[in-house]
Amino acid sequence: MSVLSFKTYCIENYAEYTGKASSEVYELFAHSGLLKMLQDDYEDLHGMGKEYLMDFFDKWFSGKKGENTHHLVKSILIPQVASMLMETYSISENDAIRIVYTSPTGKCLDDDSLGLYGQSAHYICGLIEKDIQRNPELLKEAG
């Protein structure tokens, strides 16, 4: 999807979601800086689902831009990381998810201001593997 198509998709879907005219939503997006943000952060946002985007826009317009707006991204990202850990270390699903949430890297996922949610699952898994190298107890707790 091109950036132009993505911005149009967002405007039209938010118009439907809010019951406002597309032209009114365009004005909201343009004057609030959201349209520029969609352009600048296209790579991070264009793969997000409609539910996530509508929630994100609601928070943007309510002034809660930085308040844990990336929970849906993390709900997709974390299972991917856990699956990679399961394959790499031959561990159970429960152990993999425990490692994700208790590792130093996993704990950083709680802080949206760090932007870790915007990284790929491979990148985050690599960071967690470094956490395991520094603290093998993370893996030894797996049973």
Side-chain angles (χ1 to χ4, degrees), residues 5-6 14 18 31 43 47-48 76 79 95 107 115-117 119 128-129 132 139:
S5 294
F6 176 64
Y14 198 67
T18 60
H31 292 297
E43 288 301 321
M48 300 302 125
I76 294 167
D95 287 331
K107 289 178 182 177
L116 197 55
Y117 63 84
Q119 301 299 320
I128 291 174
E129 288 175 344
I132 292 168
L139 193 57

Side-chain angles (χ1 to χ4, degrees), residues 78-140:
I78 289 170
Q80 293 173 347
V81 173
S83 292
M84 290 177 203
L85 292 172
M86 289 166 51
E87 185 175 320
T88 301
Y89 295 103
S90 299
I91 58 176
S92 72
E93 187 175 279
N94 287 338
D95 287 331
I97 201 155
R98 177 189 49 76
I99 291 169
V100 171
Y101 281 110
T102 61
S103 69
T105 299
K107 289 178 182 177
C108 287
L109 280 167
D110 285 335
D111 185 350
D112 281 354
S113 71
L114 297 175
L116 197 55
Y117 63 84
Q119 301 299 320
S120 73
H122 288 285
Y123 179 78
I124 294 171
C125 188
L127 292 176
I128 291 174
E129 288 175 344
K130 287 180 182 178
D131 291 340
I132 292 168
Q133 289 171 358
R134 284 192 280 285
N135 181 9
E137 294 299 314
L138 278 170
L139 193 57
K140 288 182 181 177

Side-chain angles (χ1 to χ4, degrees), residues 1-10 38-39 42-43 46:
M1 175 182 296
S2 70
V3 175
L4 175 61
S5 294
F6 176 64
K7 289 191 282 188
T8 303
Y9 172 87
C10 291
L38 292 175
Q39 171 90 30
Y42 169 76
E43 288 301 321
H46 82 280

Side-chain angles (χ1 to χ4, degrees), residues 54-67:
M54 298 305 108
D55 182 56
F56 181 83
F57 300 154
D58 281 344
K59 287 180 180 173
W60 179 274
F61 291 120
S62 71
K64 298 178 180 177
K65 298 174 191 170
E67 294 184 16

